[in-house]
Short mmCIF file of all heavy atoms in Angstrom, two decimals:
data_model
loop_
_atom_site.label_atom_id
_atom_site.label_comp_id
_atom_site.label_asym_id
_atom_site.label_seq_id
_atom_site.Cartn_x
_atom_site.Cartn_y
_atom_site.Cartn_z
N ALA A 157 0.83 -1.21 0.00
CA ALA A 157 0.00 0.00 0.00
C ALA A 157 0.86 1.26 0.00
O ALA A 157 0.40 2.32 -0.40
CB ALA A 157 -0.92 0.00 1.21
N ASP A 158 2.09 1.13 0.44
CA ASP A 158 2.95 2.31 0.49
C ASP A 158 3.20 2.93 -0.87
O ASP A 158 3.54 4.10 -0.98
CB ASP A 158 4.31 1.94 1.11
CG ASP A 158 4.23 1.86 2.62
OD1 ASP A 158 3.16 2.21 3.16
OD2 ASP A 158 5.22 1.46 3.24
N ASP A 159 3.03 2.11 -1.91
CA ASP A 159 3.33 2.63 -3.25
C ASP A 159 2.11 3.26 -3.92
O ASP A 159 2.20 3.74 -5.04
CB ASP A 159 3.90 1.51 -4.13
CG ASP A 159 3.05 0.25 -4.10
OD1 ASP A 159 2.05 0.22 -3.35
OD2 ASP A 159 3.38 -0.69 -4.83
N LEU A 160 0.96 3.25 -3.25
CA LEU A 160 -0.22 3.88 -3.85
C LEU A 160 -0.01 5.39 -3.94
O LEU A 160 0.58 5.99 -3.04
CB LEU A 160 -1.46 3.61 -2.99
CG LEU A 160 -1.98 2.17 -2.94
CD1 LEU A 160 -3.10 2.06 -1.90
CD2 LEU A 160 -2.49 1.73 -4.30
N PRO A 161 -0.51 6.00 -5.02
CA PRO A 161 -0.42 7.47 -5.11
C PRO A 161 -1.26 8.12 -4.02
O PRO A 161 -2.33 7.62 -3.67
CB PRO A 161 -0.96 7.78 -6.50
CG PRO A 161 -1.77 6.59 -6.89
CD PRO A 161 -1.18 5.41 -6.18
N HIS A 162 -0.76 9.20 -3.47
CA HIS A 162 -1.49 9.89 -2.42
C HIS A 162 -2.65 10.68 -3.00
O HIS A 162 -2.53 11.27 -4.07
CB HIS A 162 -0.56 10.85 -1.66
CG HIS A 162 0.54 10.13 -0.92
ND1 HIS A 162 1.54 10.80 -0.27
CD2 HIS A 162 0.77 8.80 -0.75
CE1 HIS A 162 2.36 9.91 0.30
NE2 HIS A 162 1.93 8.70 0.01
N VAL A 163 -3.76 10.70 -2.28
CA VAL A 163 -4.89 11.52 -2.68
C VAL A 163 -4.49 12.98 -2.56
O VAL A 163 -3.93 13.39 -1.54
CB VAL A 163 -6.11 11.24 -1.78
CG1 VAL A 163 -7.22 12.25 -2.06
CG2 VAL A 163 -6.62 9.82 -1.98
N SER A 164 -4.77 13.74 -3.60
CA SER A 164 -4.51 15.18 -3.56
C SER A 164 -5.74 15.90 -3.02
O SER A 164 -6.87 15.51 -3.30
CB SER A 164 -4.21 15.67 -4.97
OG SER A 164 -4.32 17.09 -5.01
N GLU A 165 -5.51 16.94 -2.23
CA GLU A 165 -6.64 17.72 -1.71
C GLU A 165 -7.41 18.38 -2.84
O GLU A 165 -8.56 18.78 -2.66
CB GLU A 165 -6.15 18.77 -0.71
CG GLU A 165 -5.63 18.15 0.58
CD GLU A 165 -5.14 19.18 1.59
OE1 GLU A 165 -5.25 20.39 1.29
OE2 GLU A 165 -4.64 18.78 2.65
N SER A 166 -6.79 18.51 -3.99
CA SER A 166 -7.48 19.16 -5.13
C SER A 166 -8.20 18.15 -6.01
O SER A 166 -8.88 18.53 -6.96
CB SER A 166 -6.48 19.97 -5.94
OG SER A 166 -5.43 19.15 -6.38
N ASP A 167 -8.09 16.87 -5.70
CA ASP A 167 -8.82 15.82 -6.41
C ASP A 167 -10.32 16.10 -6.22
O ASP A 167 -10.76 16.46 -5.14
CB ASP A 167 -8.43 14.48 -5.75
CG ASP A 167 -9.25 13.30 -6.25
OD1 ASP A 167 -10.42 13.17 -5.83
OD2 ASP A 167 -8.71 12.51 -7.02
N PRO A 168 -11.14 15.95 -7.28
CA PRO A 168 -12.56 16.28 -7.18
C PRO A 168 -13.28 15.52 -6.06
O PRO A 168 -14.11 16.11 -5.35
CB PRO A 168 -13.12 15.88 -8.54
CG PRO A 168 -11.95 15.96 -9.47
CD PRO A 168 -10.75 15.60 -8.64
N THR A 169 -12.98 14.23 -5.90
CA THR A 169 -13.62 13.47 -4.82
C THR A 169 -13.15 13.99 -3.46
O THR A 169 -13.94 14.13 -2.53
CB THR A 169 -13.28 11.97 -4.94
OG1 THR A 169 -13.61 11.52 -6.26
CG2 THR A 169 -14.07 11.15 -3.92
N ALA A 170 -11.87 14.29 -3.36
CA ALA A 170 -11.33 14.81 -2.11
C ALA A 170 -12.01 16.13 -1.75
O ALA A 170 -12.40 16.36 -0.60
CB ALA A 170 -9.82 15.01 -2.23
N LYS A 171 -12.19 16.98 -2.75
CA LYS A 171 -12.84 18.27 -2.50
C LYS A 171 -14.28 18.06 -2.05
O LYS A 171 -14.77 18.71 -1.14
CB LYS A 171 -12.81 19.14 -3.76
CG LYS A 171 -11.50 19.86 -3.93
CD LYS A 171 -11.63 20.93 -5.00
CE LYS A 171 -10.52 21.95 -4.88
NZ LYS A 171 -10.43 22.79 -6.07
N ALA A 172 -14.98 17.12 -2.74
CA ALA A 172 -16.38 16.87 -2.41
C ALA A 172 -16.53 16.38 -0.98
O ALA A 172 -17.53 16.66 -0.32
CB ALA A 172 -16.96 15.86 -3.38
N LEU A 173 -15.51 15.64 -0.51
CA LEU A 173 -15.57 15.08 0.84
C LEU A 173 -14.85 15.96 1.87
O LEU A 173 -14.80 15.62 3.05
CB LEU A 173 -14.95 13.68 0.85
CG LEU A 173 -15.70 12.61 0.05
CD1 LEU A 173 -14.96 11.28 0.11
CD2 LEU A 173 -17.12 12.43 0.58
N GLY A 174 -14.30 17.06 1.42
CA GLY A 174 -13.60 17.95 2.35
C GLY A 174 -12.34 17.31 2.92
O GLY A 174 -11.95 17.61 4.05
N TYR A 175 -11.69 16.44 2.11
CA TYR A 175 -10.49 15.75 2.60
C TYR A 175 -9.33 16.72 2.80
O TYR A 175 -9.06 17.57 1.94
CB TYR A 175 -10.08 14.65 1.61
CG TYR A 175 -8.73 14.04 1.89
CD1 TYR A 175 -8.56 13.13 2.93
CD2 TYR A 175 -7.62 14.39 1.14
CE1 TYR A 175 -7.31 12.58 3.21
CE2 TYR A 175 -6.37 13.85 1.39
CZ TYR A 175 -6.23 12.95 2.43
OH TYR A 175 -4.98 12.41 2.70
N VAL A 176 -8.66 16.55 3.92
CA VAL A 176 -7.43 17.30 4.19
C VAL A 176 -6.36 16.30 4.65
O VAL A 176 -6.67 15.31 5.30
CB VAL A 176 -7.61 18.38 5.28
CG1 VAL A 176 -8.42 19.56 4.75
CG2 VAL A 176 -8.27 17.80 6.53
N GLU A 177 -5.12 16.58 4.28
CA GLU A 177 -4.03 15.68 4.68
C GLU A 177 -3.70 15.80 6.16
O GLU A 177 -3.11 14.91 6.74
CB GLU A 177 -2.76 15.96 3.86
CG GLU A 177 -2.67 15.11 2.63
CD GLU A 177 -1.28 15.11 2.01
OE1 GLU A 177 -0.28 15.45 2.67
OE2 GLU A 177 -1.22 14.75 0.82
N ASP A 178 -4.06 16.93 6.74
CA ASP A 178 -3.80 17.16 8.16
C ASP A 178 -5.12 17.56 8.81
O ASP A 178 -5.62 18.66 8.56
CB ASP A 178 -2.75 18.25 8.32
CG ASP A 178 -2.36 18.47 9.78
OD1 ASP A 178 -3.08 17.97 10.67
OD2 ASP A 178 -1.35 19.14 10.01
N ALA A 179 -5.68 16.65 9.61
CA ALA A 179 -6.99 16.90 10.22
C ALA A 179 -7.03 18.21 11.00
O ALA A 179 -8.07 18.85 11.07
CB ALA A 179 -7.36 15.73 11.13
N SER A 180 -5.90 18.61 11.55
CA SER A 180 -5.90 19.83 12.35
C SER A 180 -6.07 21.07 11.48
O SER A 180 -6.33 22.16 11.98
CB SER A 180 -4.61 19.94 13.17
OG SER A 180 -3.49 20.10 12.31
N ALA A 181 -5.96 20.89 10.16
CA ALA A 181 -6.06 22.04 9.24
C ALA A 181 -7.49 22.27 8.78
O ALA A 181 -7.79 23.31 8.20
CB ALA A 181 -5.16 21.82 8.03
N THR A 182 -8.40 21.31 9.03
CA THR A 182 -9.75 21.49 8.53
C THR A 182 -10.51 22.54 9.33
O THR A 182 -10.31 22.68 10.54
CB THR A 182 -10.56 20.17 8.52
OG1 THR A 182 -11.81 20.42 7.89
CG2 THR A 182 -10.80 19.65 9.93
N LYS A 183 -11.36 23.29 8.63
CA LYS A 183 -12.23 24.25 9.30
C LYS A 183 -13.66 23.74 9.28
O LYS A 183 -14.59 24.46 9.63
CB LYS A 183 -12.14 25.62 8.61
CG LYS A 183 -10.77 26.25 8.74
CD LYS A 183 -10.71 27.59 7.99
CE LYS A 183 -9.34 28.24 8.14
NZ LYS A 183 -8.29 27.47 7.45
N ASP A 184 -13.83 22.47 8.86
CA ASP A 184 -15.17 21.93 8.74
C ASP A 184 -15.75 21.69 10.15
O ASP A 184 -15.15 21.00 10.96
CB ASP A 184 -15.13 20.61 7.96
CG ASP A 184 -16.53 20.20 7.51
OD1 ASP A 184 -17.41 20.01 8.38
OD2 ASP A 184 -16.74 20.08 6.29
N PRO A 185 -16.94 22.26 10.40
CA PRO A 185 -17.54 22.10 11.73
C PRO A 185 -17.90 20.65 12.07
O PRO A 185 -18.14 20.33 13.23
CB PRO A 185 -18.81 22.97 11.67
CG PRO A 185 -19.09 23.17 10.23
CD PRO A 185 -17.76 23.10 9.52
N LYS A 186 -17.95 19.77 11.04
CA LYS A 186 -18.26 18.35 11.31
C LYS A 186 -17.07 17.62 11.93
O LYS A 186 -17.23 16.53 12.45
CB LYS A 186 -18.66 17.64 10.01
CG LYS A 186 -19.96 18.13 9.41
CD LYS A 186 -20.35 17.25 8.23
CE LYS A 186 -21.35 17.93 7.31
NZ LYS A 186 -20.70 19.00 6.51
N HIS A 187 -15.88 18.21 11.84
CA HIS A 187 -14.71 17.52 12.39
C HIS A 187 -14.73 17.55 13.91
O HIS A 187 -14.91 18.61 14.51
CB HIS A 187 -13.41 18.16 11.90
CG HIS A 187 -12.21 17.48 12.47
ND1 HIS A 187 -11.43 18.03 13.45
CD2 HIS A 187 -11.69 16.25 12.21
CE1 HIS A 187 -10.45 17.19 13.76
NE2 HIS A 187 -10.59 16.10 13.03
N LYS A 188 -14.60 16.36 14.51
CA LYS A 188 -14.51 16.27 15.97
C LYS A 188 -13.05 16.08 16.35
O LYS A 188 -12.31 15.34 15.68
CB LYS A 188 -15.32 15.09 16.50
CG LYS A 188 -16.82 15.21 16.26
CD LYS A 188 -17.56 14.17 17.10
CE LYS A 188 -18.87 13.74 16.51
NZ LYS A 188 -18.73 12.97 15.25
N ALA A 189 -12.63 16.72 17.43
CA ALA A 189 -11.25 16.62 17.87
C ALA A 189 -10.84 15.16 18.02
O ALA A 189 -11.57 14.36 18.60
CB ALA A 189 -11.08 17.34 19.21
N GLY A 190 -9.70 14.83 17.49
CA GLY A 190 -9.19 13.48 17.62
C GLY A 190 -9.54 12.57 16.45
O GLY A 190 -8.95 11.50 16.31
N ASP A 191 -10.51 12.97 15.64
CA ASP A 191 -10.88 12.15 14.48
C ASP A 191 -9.86 12.31 13.37
O ASP A 191 -9.58 13.43 12.93
CB ASP A 191 -12.26 12.56 13.94
CG ASP A 191 -13.40 12.02 14.77
OD1 ASP A 191 -13.13 11.31 15.75
OD2 ASP A 191 -14.56 12.31 14.43
N THR A 192 -9.29 11.19 12.94
CA THR A 192 -8.37 11.19 11.80
C THR A 192 -8.63 9.93 10.98
O THR A 192 -9.34 9.03 11.42
CB THR A 192 -6.89 11.14 12.27
OG1 THR A 192 -6.68 9.93 13.00
CG2 THR A 192 -6.54 12.34 13.13
N CYS A 193 -8.02 9.88 9.81
CA CYS A 193 -8.15 8.67 8.98
C CYS A 193 -7.70 7.44 9.77
O CYS A 193 -8.28 6.37 9.63
CB CYS A 193 -7.32 8.82 7.71
SG CYS A 193 -7.96 10.07 6.57
N ALA A 194 -6.69 7.60 10.61
CA ALA A 194 -6.15 6.45 11.34
C ALA A 194 -7.19 5.77 12.23
O ALA A 194 -7.08 4.58 12.50
CB ALA A 194 -4.94 6.87 12.18
N ASN A 195 -8.23 6.51 12.68
CA ASN A 195 -9.25 5.86 13.51
C ASN A 195 -10.61 5.81 12.79
O ASN A 195 -11.66 5.72 13.42
CB ASN A 195 -9.36 6.50 14.90
CG ASN A 195 -9.75 7.96 14.87
OD1 ASN A 195 -10.39 8.43 13.93
ND2 ASN A 195 -9.36 8.70 15.89
N CYS A 196 -10.55 5.83 11.45
CA CYS A 196 -11.76 5.73 10.63
C CYS A 196 -11.92 4.30 10.11
O CYS A 196 -10.95 3.65 9.73
CB CYS A 196 -11.64 6.70 9.46
SG CYS A 196 -12.98 6.55 8.25
N GLN A 197 -13.15 3.83 10.06
CA GLN A 197 -13.37 2.43 9.66
C GLN A 197 -13.09 2.19 8.19
O GLN A 197 -12.98 1.04 7.77
CB GLN A 197 -14.78 1.97 10.02
CG GLN A 197 -15.88 2.54 9.14
CD GLN A 197 -17.20 1.79 9.38
OE1 GLN A 197 -17.32 1.04 10.33
NE2 GLN A 197 -18.17 2.01 8.52
N PHE A 198 -12.98 3.23 7.39
CA PHE A 198 -12.72 3.05 5.96
C PHE A 198 -11.22 2.98 5.65
O PHE A 198 -10.82 2.77 4.51
CB PHE A 198 -13.37 4.17 5.15
CG PHE A 198 -14.86 4.23 5.30
CD1 PHE A 198 -15.47 5.33 5.88
CD2 PHE A 198 -15.65 3.17 4.87
CE1 PHE A 198 -16.86 5.37 6.04
CE2 PHE A 198 -17.03 3.21 5.03
CZ PHE A 198 -17.64 4.31 5.61
N TYR A 199 -10.40 3.18 6.68
CA TYR A 199 -8.95 3.22 6.51
C TYR A 199 -8.32 1.88 6.88
O TYR A 199 -8.70 1.28 7.88
CB TYR A 199 -8.39 4.32 7.41
CG TYR A 199 -6.89 4.50 7.37
CD1 TYR A 199 -6.28 5.11 6.29
CD2 TYR A 199 -6.08 4.07 8.43
CE1 TYR A 199 -4.90 5.29 6.25
CE2 TYR A 199 -4.71 4.25 8.40
CZ TYR A 199 -4.13 4.86 7.31
OH TYR A 199 -2.77 5.04 7.28
N SER A 200 -7.38 1.43 6.08
CA SER A 200 -6.74 0.14 6.38
C SER A 200 -5.22 0.25 6.37
O SER A 200 -4.53 -0.72 6.09
CB SER A 200 -7.20 -0.92 5.38
OG SER A 200 -6.97 -0.52 4.05
N GLY A 201 -4.72 1.41 6.66
CA GLY A 201 -3.27 1.59 6.71
C GLY A 201 -2.76 1.59 8.14
O GLY A 201 -3.47 1.24 9.08
N GLY A 202 -1.53 1.97 8.32
CA GLY A 202 -0.91 2.01 9.63
C GLY A 202 -1.25 3.29 10.38
O GLY A 202 -1.97 4.16 9.88
N ALA A 203 -0.73 3.40 11.60
CA ALA A 203 -1.04 4.53 12.47
C ALA A 203 -0.38 5.83 11.99
O ALA A 203 -0.79 6.92 12.36
CB ALA A 203 -0.61 4.23 13.89
N THR A 204 0.69 5.68 11.19
CA THR A 204 1.36 6.86 10.65
C THR A 204 1.53 6.68 9.15
O THR A 204 1.31 5.59 8.62
CB THR A 204 2.74 7.06 11.30
OG1 THR A 204 3.53 5.89 11.05
CG2 THR A 204 2.63 7.29 12.80
N GLY A 205 1.94 7.72 8.50
CA GLY A 205 2.16 7.63 7.06
C GLY A 205 0.86 7.66 6.28
O GLY A 205 -0.09 8.34 6.66
N PHE A 206 0.82 6.87 5.21
CA PHE A 206 -0.35 6.86 4.33
C PHE A 206 -0.85 5.44 4.16
O PHE A 206 -0.10 4.48 4.30
CB PHE A 206 0.02 7.43 2.95
CG PHE A 206 0.22 8.92 2.94
CD1 PHE A 206 1.36 9.47 3.49
CD2 PHE A 206 -0.75 9.76 2.40
CE1 PHE A 206 1.54 10.85 3.50
CE2 PHE A 206 -0.58 11.13 2.41
CZ PHE A 206 0.57 11.67 2.95
N GLY A 207 -2.14 5.30 3.87
CA GLY A 207 -2.70 3.97 3.67
C GLY A 207 -4.00 4.04 2.89
O GLY A 207 -4.54 5.12 2.64
N PRO A 208 -4.51 2.88 2.51
CA PRO A 208 -5.72 2.83 1.67
C PRO A 208 -6.97 3.28 2.42
O PRO A 208 -7.12 3.05 3.62
CB PRO A 208 -5.84 1.34 1.31
CG PRO A 208 -4.52 0.73 1.62
CD PRO A 208 -3.95 1.54 2.73
N CYS A 209 -7.89 3.91 1.68
CA CYS A 209 -9.22 4.26 2.18
C CYS A 209 -10.23 3.73 1.18
O CYS A 209 -10.04 3.89 -0.02
CB CYS A 209 -9.36 5.78 2.30
SG CYS A 209 -11.08 6.32 2.44
N GLN A 210 -11.26 3.06 1.67
CA GLN A 210 -12.27 2.47 0.78
C GLN A 210 -12.94 3.51 -0.11
O GLN A 210 -13.45 3.18 -1.18
CB GLN A 210 -13.35 1.76 1.60
CG GLN A 210 -12.88 0.47 2.25
CD GLN A 210 -13.96 -0.11 3.15
OE1 GLN A 210 -15.14 0.03 2.89
NE2 GLN A 210 -13.54 -0.76 4.22
N LEU A 211 -12.95 4.74 0.29
CA LEU A 211 -13.62 5.78 -0.49
C LEU A 211 -12.75 6.33 -1.61
O LEU A 211 -13.22 7.07 -2.48
CB LEU A 211 -14.09 6.93 0.42
CG LEU A 211 -15.45 6.72 1.10
CD1 LEU A 211 -15.50 5.46 1.92
CD2 LEU A 211 -15.82 7.93 1.93
N PHE A 212 -11.45 5.98 -1.57
CA PHE A 212 -10.52 6.43 -2.61
C PHE A 212 -9.79 5.22 -3.18
O PHE A 212 -8.60 5.01 -2.89
CB PHE A 212 -9.51 7.44 -2.03
CG PHE A 212 -10.11 8.74 -1.60
CD1 PHE A 212 -10.47 8.95 -0.27
CD2 PHE A 212 -10.32 9.77 -2.50
CE1 PHE A 212 -11.02 10.17 0.14
CE2 PHE A 212 -10.86 10.98 -2.10
CZ PHE A 212 -11.22 11.17 -0.78
N PRO A 213 -10.49 4.40 -3.97
CA PRO A 213 -9.87 3.17 -4.49
C PRO A 213 -8.59 3.45 -5.27
O PRO A 213 -8.55 4.38 -6.09
CB PRO A 213 -10.95 2.60 -5.42
CG PRO A 213 -12.23 3.25 -5.00
CD PRO A 213 -11.84 4.60 -4.45
N GLY A 214 -7.56 2.67 -4.98
CA GLY A 214 -6.31 2.80 -5.71
C GLY A 214 -5.44 3.94 -5.26
O GLY A 214 -4.39 4.20 -5.85
N LYS A 215 -5.85 4.62 -4.20
CA LYS A 215 -5.04 5.73 -3.69
C LYS A 215 -4.85 5.59 -2.19
O LYS A 215 -5.49 4.75 -1.54
CB LYS A 215 -5.70 7.08 -4.02
CG LYS A 215 -5.73 7.35 -5.51
CD LYS A 215 -6.18 8.75 -5.81
CE LYS A 215 -6.17 8.99 -7.31
NZ LYS A 215 -6.88 10.22 -7.66
N ALA A 216 -3.97 6.40 -1.65
CA ALA A 216 -3.70 6.36 -0.22
C ALA A 216 -4.00 7.71 0.41
O ALA A 216 -3.73 8.76 -0.18
CB ALA A 216 -2.24 5.98 0.02
N VAL A 217 -4.55 7.67 1.62
CA VAL A 217 -4.81 8.90 2.36
C VAL A 217 -3.86 8.98 3.54
O VAL A 217 -3.26 7.99 3.95
CB VAL A 217 -6.28 8.95 2.86
CG1 VAL A 217 -7.24 8.96 1.68
CG2 VAL A 217 -6.60 7.78 3.79
N SER A 218 -3.74 10.16 4.10
CA SER A 218 -2.83 10.37 5.23
C SER A 218 -3.45 9.86 6.52
O SER A 218 -4.63 10.11 6.80
CB SER A 218 -2.54 11.87 5.35
OG SER A 218 -1.85 12.12 6.56
N ALA A 219 -2.67 9.14 7.33
CA ALA A 219 -3.16 8.64 8.61
C ALA A 219 -3.68 9.77 9.48
O ALA A 219 -4.63 9.62 10.24
CB ALA A 219 -2.06 7.88 9.34
N LYS A 220 -3.07 10.95 9.34
CA LYS A 220 -3.52 12.09 10.15
C LYS A 220 -4.47 13.00 9.38
O LYS A 220 -4.74 14.12 9.80
CB LYS A 220 -2.32 12.86 10.70
CG LYS A 220 -1.39 13.39 9.65
CD LYS A 220 -0.20 14.13 10.30
CE LYS A 220 0.69 14.71 9.21
NZ LYS A 220 1.70 15.60 9.69
N GLY A 221 -4.97 12.48 8.24
CA GLY A 221 -5.93 13.24 7.47
C GLY A 221 -7.34 13.11 8.01
O GLY A 221 -7.57 12.52 9.08
N TRP A 222 -8.31 13.63 7.23
CA TRP A 222 -9.73 13.58 7.65
C TRP A 222 -10.61 13.97 6.47
O TRP A 222 -10.17 14.71 5.57
CB TRP A 222 -9.97 14.55 8.81
CG TRP A 222 -11.40 14.59 9.27
CD1 TRP A 222 -12.01 13.75 10.15
CD2 TRP A 222 -12.42 15.51 8.85
NE1 TRP A 222 -13.33 14.09 10.30
CE2 TRP A 222 -13.61 15.16 9.51
CE3 TRP A 222 -12.44 16.60 7.97
CZ2 TRP A 222 -14.82 15.86 9.33
CZ3 TRP A 222 -13.63 17.28 7.78
CH2 TRP A 222 -14.81 16.92 8.46
N CYS A 223 -11.84 13.45 6.47
CA CYS A 223 -12.86 13.94 5.53
C CYS A 223 -14.23 13.80 6.19
O CYS A 223 -14.36 13.18 7.25
CB CYS A 223 -12.81 13.19 4.20
SG CYS A 223 -13.76 11.65 4.16
N ILE A 224 -15.27 14.36 5.54
CA ILE A 224 -16.60 14.39 6.16
C ILE A 224 -17.23 13.01 6.29
O ILE A 224 -18.21 12.85 7.01
CB ILE A 224 -17.58 15.32 5.42
CG1 ILE A 224 -17.75 14.88 3.95
CG2 ILE A 224 -17.14 16.77 5.51
CD1 ILE A 224 -18.88 15.61 3.24
N SER A 225 -16.68 12.01 5.61
CA SER A 225 -17.23 10.65 5.73
C SER A 225 -16.62 9.87 6.89
O SER A 225 -16.91 8.69 7.05
CB SER A 225 -17.01 9.88 4.42
OG SER A 225 -17.81 10.42 3.40
N HIS A 226 -15.79 10.55 7.67
CA HIS A 226 -15.15 9.85 8.80
C HIS A 226 -16.19 9.12 9.64
O HIS A 226 -17.20 9.69 10.05
CB HIS A 226 -14.39 10.85 9.69
CG HIS A 226 -13.65 10.18 10.81
ND1 HIS A 226 -14.26 9.78 11.97
CD2 HIS A 226 -12.35 9.80 10.91
CE1 HIS A 226 -13.36 9.20 12.75
NE2 HIS A 226 -12.20 9.19 12.15
N THR A 227 -15.91 7.85 9.91
CA THR A 227 -16.76 7.02 10.76
C THR A 227 -15.84 6.30 11.73
O THR A 227 -14.88 5.65 11.30
CB THR A 227 -17.54 5.98 9.92
OG1 THR A 227 -18.28 6.69 8.92
CG2 THR A 227 -18.48 5.17 10.77
N VAL A 228 -16.10 6.45 13.00
CA VAL A 228 -15.19 5.87 13.99
C VAL A 228 -15.12 4.35 13.84
O VAL A 228 -16.14 3.68 13.72
CB VAL A 228 -15.63 6.23 15.43
CG1 VAL A 228 -14.76 5.51 16.46
CG2 VAL A 228 -15.55 7.73 15.63
N LYS A 229 -13.90 3.88 13.79
CA LYS A 229 -13.64 2.44 13.65
C LYS A 229 -14.16 1.69 14.87
O LYS A 229 -13.92 2.08 16.00
CB LYS A 229 -12.12 2.24 13.51
CG LYS A 229 -11.72 0.85 13.08
CD LYS A 229 -10.20 0.76 12.93
CE LYS A 229 -9.68 1.66 11.83
NZ LYS A 229 -8.46 1.16 11.19
N GLN A 230 -14.90 0.62 14.62
CA GLN A 230 -15.40 -0.19 15.73
C GLN A 230 -14.32 -1.19 16.15
O GLN A 230 -13.64 -1.75 15.30
CB GLN A 230 -16.66 -0.95 15.31
CG GLN A 230 -17.81 -0.03 14.88
CD GLN A 230 -18.24 0.93 15.96
OE1 GLN A 230 -18.46 0.54 17.09
NE2 GLN A 230 -18.34 2.21 15.61
N ALA A 231 -14.20 -1.36 17.44
CA ALA A 231 -13.17 -2.26 17.96
C ALA A 231 -13.43 -3.70 17.58
O ALA A 231 -14.54 -4.07 17.31
CB ALA A 231 -13.06 -2.14 19.47
FE1 SF4 B 454 -9.97 9.37 5.92
FE2 SF4 B 454 -12.09 7.96 6.63
FE3 SF4 B 454 -12.36 10.04 5.02
FE4 SF4 B 454 -11.19 7.84 4.13
S1 SF4 B 454 -13.34 8.04 4.79
S2 SF4 B 454 -10.47 9.94 3.82
S3 SF4 B 454 -10.11 7.14 5.96
S4 SF4 B 454 -11.69 10.09 7.18
#
């Protein structure tokens, strides 16, 4: 998964979902403190770096990123 191209914030899907590579940079009121791709159920990468997200097939999102589709991963 490390070799997947990173999702760009300017990608149309990324824009539609309000994706940011750094969750702390979002101004979206839907963002809750502590929510990042790393604790989202659609993410299957490691705790740091980049990894796959089901919403961005064939690409990798940042572990510390975020988008409006964030759903807390169930244990
Ligand atoms: Fe990150 Fe989850 Fe949004 Fe994918 S769905 S970009 S893992 S917050």
